[in-house]
Amino acid sequence: MENSVTSHPDSPNASPRPVALPPRETGAAPSGMLRSLRVVATVGGLQSLLALLYFARSKAIALLLGPAGVGIVSLVDQIVMVVTQVSALALAIAPMKFISRTLNHGTEAVKRVYEALFKSLLISTLAGTALGYLVFTIRPSLLGPKLVAYKEFVLIGVLAVPALALTMFFANVLASARGYRQSLYFLLFSGAGSLIAAYSGIRLGGIAGLYWANLIFGAIAIVGALTYLHTSLHLAPHSRGFRLREEFRKHPDLLAYCTVLYVLSFAQPLSFLAVRYAVLKTLGAVETGYFQAAFLIGAPISLLLTQALRTYFEPIANRDLAVQEKTKSANEFTFSQAVSLLPGALVLVLFPREAVTVLFSSAFTPAVPFVFLFVLSECIFLTGQVYLVLQLGMDDLRGFFGLNLFGYVCLAALTWVAAPQYGLWGVAGAFVVSRGTVFALSYLRVSRKYGLRMPRRQAIFLLYAVVCLCLAGFFGSRQASLSVVNFGLRVAILAAFAGGALTFLSREERSWLGGLWMRWRTNLR
């Protein structure tokens, strides 16, 4: 028996048309901004657990295999990910667009889209797996002289390509049809399986055992997701009378959507490769290491909050809602994301030397002066992504593709120009300028095409956040040692700037944050 609901509680404004799907997760958030703030906090917490699982997996591999084993595993993993990316054809991401869009059209419409995407992804990844396995078996020299001896591990790893692609696919299906919590719970389940596979597989069979265990636990996760979707949402992977070609005809933009995302999936790593090559060529290997350290300090920001954008806001942007509802939701999410970003970013820029030492070593301290610029660029990047995702939800593929591609090309070009003259300062500046330009252009585009207007409170806060990060970064990067006085001063600056952010919130929002803080303290005790 199918259940029906009359609204989607995750939406900024519920649609009045019935949706023949089980109710999505609900919450009693009385305002759109407060709802977004709660989502960002929840996703950040769950994503932190996911990051810990992956860190534990890396730690287990390092302890059981040593440096040489880690090097082999990292290379094999990279090859497997390349085969997965090439064979998935961006179909794993497509549920965010097409399932979200059909939610208000009834269960049958959602079933057909789900089945079409599932079968297409399964066919493409099985074909990619077979081709990759055949190529590496016949021509193992393509792996390079260093990996030929480990062909066995590559062949086992390639067998898990369909499971890897389907894991991301099901996470996106759950985010689109059920909600961000279910999506993250599934990713946590998969992450726990990867950790167990790493430990048990290596203990039982070394590196080969690791990849056999990955295959087994990946299959378990896929079977679990198929079962849950079939029993809870009545989404079956196969139904009588289904015609894949007919379903594709109903969604003529599916090919263009997947093509755009497919091209961009290669454009981003290529641009970063060009950046690293420019730094290596003009500044040398040591400076490249300093760049990597400074750049990766800001990575936790993206790691924790990108998932909130993808699992919460992206389905809303692609839903069948009025333009005003989508733009309002975009502003609410941008503001709540910025409020959540600022405290963590301030910690990184006020304690850059300590962050570099903990994540790398004291040998990387020359990277400290550049950390705040890379952290700032990550914050700008995440803010700009909201407006890019909004364009994608509005079917503005040309704008989404053009601005993303422009950003990647601009970053690479500016690095090649600035690195020889200004060193790592020029590289860091290239990140800030390229990402700031994309943010400005994407905002202008959605403003002109869809009437989005940034609220005054939000605009002032974004300016406040940039000033705070620059001032804190200027101070933090010039502190040589962590004395008691120095530490107290930095904590005071952090408290002052983070406290100042609270003045931009309403009383209701501040009250909710206060309650969250009290619950966190109680749990610690």
Side-chain angles (χ1 to χ4, degrees), residues 24 158 166 275 314 401 449 471 487:
R24 293 163 54 88
V158 167
L166 286 171
V275 168
E314 190 169 341
F401 176 76
K449 291 195 69 172
L471 291 176
F487 177 79

Side-chain angles (χ1 to χ4, degrees), residues 268-345:
Q268 183 185 41
L270 284 175
S271 70
F272 277 78
L273 178 62
V275 168
R276 287 180 172 86
Y277 185 76
V279 176
L280 178 64
K281 181 179 179 180
T282 59
L283 303 177
V286 175
E287 294 290 315
T288 304
Y290 296 154
F291 156 74
Q292 185 72 358
F295 174 71
L296 288 180
I297 294 299
I301 295 175
S302 295
L303 180 67
L304 294 177
L305 291 178
T306 298
Q307 203 65 24
L309 174 68
R310 298 204 67 251
T311 60
Y312 174 71
F313 176 69
E314 190 169 341
I316 291 177
N318 285 287
R319 246 174 250 161
D320 188 12
L321 300 171
V323 173
Q324 292 82 359
E325 294 180 14
K326 293 185 178 184
T327 55
K328 180 176 181 290
S329 181
N331 280 327
E332 290 170 352
F333 186 83
T334 301
F335 191 18
S336 61
Q337 179 180 255
V339 171
S340 302
L341 271 173
L342 185 58

Side-chain angles (χ1 to χ4, degrees), residues 396-450:
D396 185 8
L397 288 177
R398 180 179 298 179
F400 177 81
F401 176 76
L403 287 171
N404 270 294
L405 189 62
F406 170 78
Y408 299 144
V409 173
C410 182
L411 173 62
L414 287 176
T415 300
W416 276 91
V417 172
Q421 297 186 39
Y422 304 105
L424 288 183
W425 285 110
V427 178
F431 272 82
V432 174
V433 171
S434 62
R435 290 175 167 182
T437 303
V438 171
F439 165 74
L441 292 176
S442 59
Y443 173 76
L444 288 174
R445 187 172 181 88
V446 296
S447 176
R448 292 182 61 181
K449 291 195 69 172
Y450 309 113

